Amino acid sequence: MKNPIFINGTMGVGKTATCRELQLLLPNCVFLDDDWYWDASPFIVNDETKNMVLDNISYLINNFITCSVYENIISCWVMNEQNIIDDVLSRLNKNDCKLYKYSLVCSEEPLISRIKKDIEMGIRSEDIIKRSVARLQNYFEMDTQKIDASNISGKEAAEIIYNGVCHRP
């Protein structure tokens, strides 16, 4: 049985930190940060590049699903609309898979605080705050399990997901 695990959330909510911690907890695990598919210069978002990125994400996830070595496949991305998740899922070979979908959510104050720390470290630019806050509400409406990351670390969020995937109390 394979466990594709989708983790989404707005920019700065703690997806990457959570996924890196989760990768340490789960056996036979790979972590795919789907932002990598958008790491281009110039950064161009249009129908062609969106489709290419979705093709690349689903291709790689499918390869890990069919690989006998990996049991847990973590896929992390902003995915700020339900139709994006649905599109990726429609492209996957889900035979012999137990799919998990999580949204990391939080209130505005801790989100802005986290992004400001990233700005100070040179990881993000100031314009991310407004875009990230504007998308925050979308995640509460998605067909996913919600994890409130307002007052917990990436490690604590990873433990919640780990317990859900491993069916432990």
Side-chain angles (χ1 to χ4, degrees):
M1 176 71 71
K2 300 291 184 146
N3 299 312
I5 304 162
F6 285 80
I7 300 173
N8 72 348
T10 195
M11 291 95 56
V13 76
K15 296 180 301 296
T16 300
T18 297
C19 291
R20 290 194 188 286
E21 292 289 345
L22 182 60
Q23 185 181 22
L24 298 173
L25 296 173
L26 291 170
N28 306 316
C29 184
V30 62
F31 165 41
L32 307 172
D33 187 333
D34 297 338
D35 280 345
W36 299 333
Y37 302 104
W38 286 109
D39 192 359
S41 180
F43 177 69
I44 299 170
V45 179
N46 60 31
D47 289 341
E48 179 183 11
T49 60
K50 286 180 195 177
N51 192 54
M52 178 197 61
V53 166
L54 293 171
D55 281 347
N56 288 340
I57 290 169
S58 53
Y59 176 82
L60 196 54
I61 293 171
N62 276 324
N63 273 346
F64 281 106
I65 288 173
T66 59
C67 180
S68 65
V69 174
Y70 298 101
E71 174 186 352
N72 297 290
I73 302 112
I74 304 167
S75 178
C76 160
W77 195 22
V78 171
M79 292 184 281
N80 63 309
E81 298 173 2
Q82 183 66 46
N83 66 327
I84 298 170
I85 297 172
D86 295 342
D87 191 350
V88 172
L89 293 177
S90 73
R91 300 168 187 235
L92 297 184
N93 173 5
K94 296 181 288 288
N95 297 333
D96 199 31
C97 287
K98 172 69 174 146
L99 178 66
Y100 297 88
K101 299 178 290 181
Y102 293 93
S103 291
L104 295 182
V105 297
C106 70
S107 56
E108 282 187 37
E109 187 176 313
L111 177 64
I112 292 169
S113 175
R114 289 177 185 166
I115 295 172
K116 284 184 177 180
K117 286 179 187 173
D118 287 350
I119 293 168
E120 289 170 10
M121 293 171 48
I123 297 170
R124 299 184 191 274
S125 58
E126 186 79 30
D127 65 315
I128 295 292
I129 294 174
K130 186 175 180 181
R131 290 187 292 137
S132 184
V133 169
R135 294 177 176 174
L136 189 57
Q137 190 58 41
N138 294 5
Y139 299 96
F140 289 96
E141 300 165 7
M142 291 187 175
D143 178 25
T144 57
Q145 295 180 55
K146 312 305 181 279
I147 297 174
D148 186 347
S150 297
N151 299 305
I152 64 173
S153 67
K155 184 174 184 174
E156 291 167 312
E159 289 169 353
I160 292 168
I161 296 169
Y162 173 80
N163 288 330
V165 170
C166 293
H167 305 291
R168 296 183 179 156

